[in-house]
Amino acid sequence: MKFSYLSTTMALMALLTACDGDPAAPDYGSNPQLPEQERGLLPSMKIANPAPWGDRQPTVPEGYNITAIATDLGIPRQTLVLPNGDILVAEGRGGSAPALRPKDVIAGFIKAKGTTSVKSGNRLTLLRDGNGDGVYEERTVFADNLNAPYGLALVNGQLYVANQDALVRFSYRDGQTRAEGPPVKVTDLPSEINHHWTKALAASADGRFLYVGIGSNSNITERGLSAEVDRAMVWQVDAQTGAHKPYATGLRNPTALAIQPGSGELWAVVNERDELGPNLVPDYLTSVREGGFYGWPYSYWGQNVDPRVRPQDPQKVASAIPPDYSLGSHVAALGLAFSTPAMGAQFADGVFVGEHGSWNRSVPIGYKVVFVPFRDGAPAGPPIDFVTGFLGEDGNTYGRPVGVTVDPRGALIVADDLSNTVWRITPPQQSPAAEAPPRPSTPTPAGNPPPNYPPS
Amino acid sequence: MAVTVNERSARAIQPFHAVLLAATIPPFLGSLLSDIAYASTYEIQWINFAAWLVAGGMVFTGLALLWGLVDLIRADRRRGRPLIYVLLLLATFVLGLINSFVHARDAWATMPEGLVLSAIVVVLAILATWLGFSSLRVGGIK
């Protein structure tokens, strides 16, 4: 019996990792306290136990409204709101990294329990709300036969799609519900092994450059350093020629990219390494500096050396930039979107972050969408829960958030790749974009910040 | 020609049990050599080899241990060398299992524990095999 086998395995693991103790609350913000590295005989694991939503719904802030605008998708990951309000959904499952060690066989089997078993969509689905009533009654397949599409960007009439092996584009005009033909390849993307297969995408405001996030080919170089050529970095791709250069490196798994309105600066959420303990290493949100090196694999959060990497590189460690903002270890941030005043006063200035949720931790963490408030263009304050309830108090997991997108008309679109749903959250007394309230002063999060949070 | 066989010496180790027992040494020796190669070159493929070799050694150790336990339970005489043989094999299995978990760590996190455990496990396997081949004939079967 699969189930008894699994529970035996989990019991064995609980026994072997009991020395880890109960993990303390994780640390947020710009200067997180980093505990000592630790690793039991087996890594702590707590795999999601998927269950259907039934009559339940995710929890949103008081007065906010949430609806499922599309269900039964083929693993929705990232979404894009088009100028006319239509929503594109990238669906698919990528990665074909072979099992190299006995561990990979066992871990692959266990981790698959916490994800959907639906077939990979490998397509873009378009959702349309023709009359603006919040019901997306029209659903068409915009493009099909893609290879695990993930990152999406629309600029200068071109729709860019980051497949797991190539950056491609479609021409797009307003109102289109179907691509006119197969896409044109802009450039190939690194896809050998593809341990971390998702290719995040953002376009510069002028449309000249595209930024592609490429994850590492391992947790921490266990597939060899030669497998990490062109990995764990953000590429800057020339939209015209397809020529690329590394824009920033040492970013283990940059799973979502966004351009900050106003400054034009590139921001990213990055998933950090596992198996150093329940509160290491923090996944983070950061502005991405051109030419910057962010540590992976040699060090984390600046100059904290990772002893698992050989040969070491003290020069690279010395040059590593600490990221801007810790989201907490193992939350698995997969979505990033800058907010607008149309999202309501408390959530007007800042970013939404979709947290897929942990597996490498005995007490699960993440499984929600948080809002990180900004002041003067930088994070200021602890994260505020925006959408929760994906992980039920009964221990079941109903959904796992991935991509988040802000509709400038005043809505947050959240892709959920466990229940294969797209959620739409709207603020109270939703008003048309033209009547959006003026930019409010910095919101103050309700309650006191956690004690660890450094005063800014 | 007629041969008079001593009943005790006729209880030589059962051939298949012998195969299982002897087969524990090559993979454990291989894992030790692979660990040494990884430690001295940082070439990751060696630690992958080591992980599989430990796993392979564990399959043979597990089966030989099972056989040894059954023999021990069915034996007239359960003390002395047959018992030591099974205990040695048990120690090989337990440390081998720990070594499997250590080899499930990533990259250099396997070192130095992995190398040390591989060395201990191969020595234990050799001792167990030695004792197994030289002692099992005394454990009379009903």
Side-chain angles (χ1 to χ4, degrees), chain B residues 5-57:
Chain B
V5 182
N6 177 309
E7 200 199 340
R8 283 193 163 186
S9 63
R11 308 271 180 225
I13 182 166
Q14 206 278 346
F16 193 62
H17 187 181
V19 168
L20 294 174
L21 187 54
T24 59
I25 298 176
F28 284 142
L29 182 61
S31 75
L32 174 63
L33 296 176
S34 301
D35 281 339
I36 293 169
Y38 173 60
S40 50
T41 63
Y42 300 149
E43 181 55 59
I44 207 81
Q45 192 70 306
W46 287 116
I47 204 71
N48 294 334
F49 291 153
W52 284 109
L53 287 165
V54 172

Side-chain angles (χ1 to χ4, degrees), chain B residues 75-111:
Chain B
D76 295 331
R77 195 173 144 241
R78 300 201 180 100
R79 290 197 201 160
R81 289 173 109 192
L83 180 66
I84 297 170
Y85 159 72
V86 168
L87 288 178
L88 268 175
L89 214 48
L90 183 67
T92 313
F93 186 84
V94 170
L95 288 180
L97 188 65
I98 295 171
N99 198 22
S100 304
F101 293 145
V102 169
H103 276 83
R105 294 179 184 171
D106 289 339
W108 194 254
T110 48
M111 292 290 142

Side-chain angles (χ1 to χ4, degrees), chain A residues 71-87:
Chain A
T71 54
D72 298 318
L73 291 160
I75 320 184
R77 307 282 191 176
Q78 297 287 341
T79 56
L80 179 71
V81 177
L82 297 166
N84 69 343
D86 290 353
I87 296 169

Side-chain angles (χ1 to χ4, degrees), chain A residues 241-416:
Chain A
T241 66
H244 72 264
K245 66 163 192 179
Y247 183 76
T249 57
L251 298 149
R252 179 176 173 273
N253 191 13
T255 44
L257 302 173
I259 300 289
Q260 187 175 30
S263 73
E265 218 176 12
L266 179 68
W267 284 70
V269 287
V270 177
N271 290 348
E272 261 291 356
R273 62 205 77 193
D274 292 323
E275 298 189 25
L276 286 179
N279 293 321
L280 278 180
V281 171
D283 294 342
Y284 57 83
L285 162 73
T286 192
S287 57
V288 182
R289 286 190 232 166
E290 181 163 6
F293 171 70
Y294 289 81
W296 196 89
Y298 304 104
S299 65
Y300 55 87
W301 210 274
Q303 278 68 44
N304 297 283
V305 173
D306 193 321
R308 298 173 293 179
V309 183
R310 288 293 189 282
Q312 296 183 304
D313 193 336
Q315 273 186 319
K316 290 293 270 182
V317 171
S319 72
I321 305 169
D324 292 342
Y325 187 93
S326 161
L327 294 162
S329 302
H330 310 299
V331 297
L334 297 184
L336 174 65
F338 281 91
S339 189
T340 74
M343 287 307 297
Q346 202 197 347
F347 302 102
D349 188 11
V351 293
F352 292 100
V353 175
E355 298 179 351
H356 201 230
S358 65
W359 61 269
N360 183 210
R361 203 172 190 281
S362 56
V363 178
I365 190 172
Y367 296 95
K368 59 189 177 182
V369 178
V370 299
F371 176 78
V372 177
F374 271 44
R375 187 165 53 224
D376 303 326
I384 302 165
D385 286 352
F386 189 71
V387 192
T388 56
F390 293 96
L391 182 65
E393 278 160 18
D394 52 7
N396 286 335
T397 304
Y398 298 98
R400 300 185 78 174
V402 189
V404 292
T405 309
V406 171
D407 182 338
R409 292 156 195 80
L412 184 73
I413 310 300
V414 178
D416 170 349

Side-chain angles (χ1 to χ4, degrees), chain A residues 73 86-89 91 123-128 136-143 175-179:
Chain A
L73 291 160
D86 290 353
I87 296 169
L88 272 180
V89 187
E91 303 161 72
R123 65 185 179 201
L124 302 182
T125 292
L126 184 134
L127 308 173
R128 172 172 291 177
Y136 285 70
E137 65 281 344
E138 199 179 324
R139 177 165 157 179
T140 54
V141 174
F142 185 87
Q176 203 173 331
T177 57
R178 221 181 150 68

